[in-house]
Amino acid sequence: MTQTTAMTAQALAIQQFALLDDIDCDARIVAARQKLGTRCVVLGHHYQRDEVFRHADFIGDSLKLSRMAAQSDAEYIVFCGVHFMAEVSDILSRPDQTAILPDLAAGCSMADMADLANVERCWRELSQVLDVEQTVTPVTYINSAADLKAFCGQHNGIVCTSSNAQKVLEWSFARREKVLFFPDQHLGRNTGYRMGIPLDDMVVWDFSKPMGGLSEEQISKARIILWKGFCSVHQMFRPEHIDDFLKRYPKTIVIAHPEASFEVCQKANYIGSTEYILKTVREAEPNTRWLVATELNLVNRLNREVKHQGKEVHFMSPTICMCSTMFRTDPQHLLWVLENLVEGHVVNRIRVPETEARYAKLALNNMLNVV
Ligand code: SF4
């Protein structure tokens, strides 16, 4: 069979699964899981839709799931999340384990905002002004492609997540005086500011412009050079959403993910990762009202979970904005990969090339050793 014929056959097979309703899928997923037993583990990110989330053996944010991927013994790791997460799973797992992403189109628009060619160009241009290897630590948010993690590994850099960004920046500043932070400018800025770095000492590198659109003086003075990337979901939250809500419900407690803008985070009572948001609201006093700036599936689930304690959890934006790429993983795709595994076929394997994986693992291990 040629590659094109194989791809067409695969597309036809997925189309047949797409016609199944969620209830049929649910029963067949449970049956396939039983047949696979401990040979297969399903990891689910907090932003997954309910119909998929309920089938996860382990749930968590990027940091928690990357640790689980590293510790799992299962032969197959089915990652219900987005592409970079399955790559991390492949990098951290043993050679005899297989990472699978149910829908290959489940990417991350923020991760796509930084590619290796542009980051290497940035590094070359920075080297015209600075001794980059001596003065700059490259830090990539885990929401990035494996080749960017490898770039960090090759240049004594590190990976971070929204849970550990501050500790990672402290690690970086203990080694070199500046940080190049990609791809999310907001996580970098919000974290730097909380560490006492003034906004003037953080500049934005516009990858569409020569020298990032910055002068030599700006580059020399900066402590953090922020890549001009953002999350399309978290940028929907606006400070006026908080103002409007507080006018109606003045005692509301506001909590934001650090991928939200600086202005939103400045108005929030608490800032933190998805795991932090869940923990904070779960442990809060009963009968409290919360306004949350993160993805809709998580907010809705949390609201249902804490309702019996008299707590109310509200989504910050008046516009419905779930992560469309996380949403791509549906029960139909999950069933398709699981039933293929039952029949001995691996579909949608995610495999990072060996050299790239080796360097990316250096940067990931730097992070895992910090926290
Ligand atoms: S919520 Fe934003 S950062 Fe997270 S996967 Fe979706 S697009 Fe990427």
Side-chain angles (χ1 to χ4, degrees):
M1 202 188 286
T2 65
Q3 196 181 0
T4 314
T5 319
M7 282 168 65
T8 310
Q10 184 164 312
L12 284 171
I14 299 172
Q15 271 177 23
Q16 285 173 359
F17 279 80
L19 298 173
L20 296 171
D21 68 31
D22 288 357
I23 296 172
D24 285 344
C25 281
D26 212 49
R28 283 171 61 177
I29 289 170
V30 172
R33 300 293 318 275
Q34 278 171 355
K35 284 183 191 151
L36 289 163
T38 54
R39 291 173 62 210
C40 172
V41 68
V42 177
L43 304 183
H45 190 271
H46 288 303
Y47 294 167
Q48 289 292 300
R49 53 165 93 182
D50 290 346
E51 306 82 53
V52 168
F53 193 78
R54 70 167 69 103
H55 293 291
D57 297 296
F58 299 105
I59 53 173
D61 62 3
S62 305
L63 177 62
K64 198 166 160 190
L65 292 177
S66 57
R67 282 188 191 284
M68 282 168 180
Q71 289 159 5
S72 166
D73 274 334
E75 194 177 333
Y76 304 116
I77 302 168
V78 177
F79 214 118
C80 296
V82 290
H83 194 269
F84 72 82
M85 297 177 183
E87 283 185 332
V88 170
S89 172
D90 180 54
I91 294 164
L92 295 180
S93 58
R94 296 189 314 267
D96 59 318
Q97 293 178 299
T98 302
I100 293 167
L101 185 68
D103 185 343
L104 293 182
C108 164
S109 55
M110 177 209 282
D112 292 343
M113 287 178 192
D115 63 28
L116 185 60
N118 276 324
V119 169
E120 284 182 336
R121 183 170 63 82
C122 166
W123 197 249
R124 279 196 304 277
E125 291 181 353
L126 287 177
S127 71
Q128 294 168 26
V129 183
L130 308 165
D131 180 352
V132 278
E133 298 294 343
Q134 294 301 317
T135 59
V136 185
T137 300
V139 178
T140 187
Y141 190 19
I142 198 162
N143 298 35
S144 58
D147 56 4
L148 293 187
K149 295 182 178 85
F151 175 90
C152 290
Q154 281 174 304
H155 296 278
N156 298 312
I158 187 166
V159 178
C160 78
T161 72
S162 51
S163 299
N164 60 24
Q166 179 159 342
K167 283 187 178 152
V168 166
L169 286 190
E170 285 163 3
W171 178 95
S172 306
F173 285 124
R175 281 156 182 79
R176 289 178 279 191
E177 64 200 60
K178 294 177 193 289
V179 159
L180 171 62
F181 191 97
F182 46 85
D184 185 23
Q185 59 173 301
H186 299 298
L187 177 63
R189 184 181 296 108
N190 287 323
T191 309
Y193 191 77
R194 286 174 82 183
M195 292 169 66
I197 299 174
L199 289 180
D200 283 350
D201 290 355
M202 296 186 267
V203 292
V204 176
W205 183 273
D206 183 344
F207 48 87
S208 68
K209 295 181 179 162
M211 296 299 282
L214 299 169
S215 67
E216 289 193 12
E217 192 191 346
Q218 285 174 306
I219 292 169
S220 299
K221 184 173 171 287
R223 293 199 64 206
I224 305 184
I225 298 158
L226 302 163
W227 197 261
K228 198 182 176 186
F230 57 86
C231 166
S232 49
V233 177
H234 289 86
Q235 74 154 7
M236 301 279 286
F237 305 118
R238 305 295 316 149
E240 49 272 27
H241 298 156
I242 302 176
D243 296 339
D244 290 348
F245 201 88
L246 287 177
K247 263 185 222 149
R248 284 181 288 140
Y249 306 104
K251 288 189 178 159
T252 302
I253 310 165
V254 181
I255 188 162
H257 192 282
E259 286 174 20
S261 70
F262 179 74
E263 293 74 18
V264 165
C265 287
Q266 284 304 294
K267 281 182 177 275
N269 302 90
Y270 300 98
I271 306 167
S273 66
T274 49
E275 286 293 329
Y276 173 85
I277 291 172
L278 291 167
K279 184 172 185 292
T280 307
V281 176
R282 281 172 181 151
E283 291 176 0
E285 293 292 313
N287 306 314
T288 43
R289 182 180 280 120
W290 293 80
L291 187 64
V292 182
T294 197
E295 205 269 347
L296 184 63
N297 279 301
L298 179 151
V299 175
N300 284 344
R301 260 195 303 269
L302 184 57
N303 186 43
R304 288 200 298 273
E305 182 190 322
V306 298
K307 214 172 203 159
H308 71 283
Q309 300 168 350
K311 295 177 199 168
E312 279 180 32
V313 184
H314 297 264
F315 186 61
M316 188 178 286
S317 170
T319 316
I320 298 298
C321 54
M322 52 185 66
C323 174
S324 56
T325 49
M326 285 277 186
F327 195 71
R328 290 198 69 99
T329 303
D330 54 18
Q332 289 73 14
H333 279 84
L334 179 58
L335 176 64
W336 176 64
V337 297
L338 292 173
E339 288 196 344
N340 267 286
L341 289 179
V342 170
E343 287 167 19
H345 305 138
V346 174
V347 289
N348 287 6
R349 177 171 192 178
I350 301 299
R351 202 184 234 162
V352 177
E354 204 181 312
T355 309
E356 195 172 298
R358 196 169 67 245
Y359 284 116
K361 197 169 182 175
L362 286 179
L364 280 163
N365 280 339
N366 281 342
M367 172 186 82
L368 294 171
N369 291 333
V370 166
V371 283

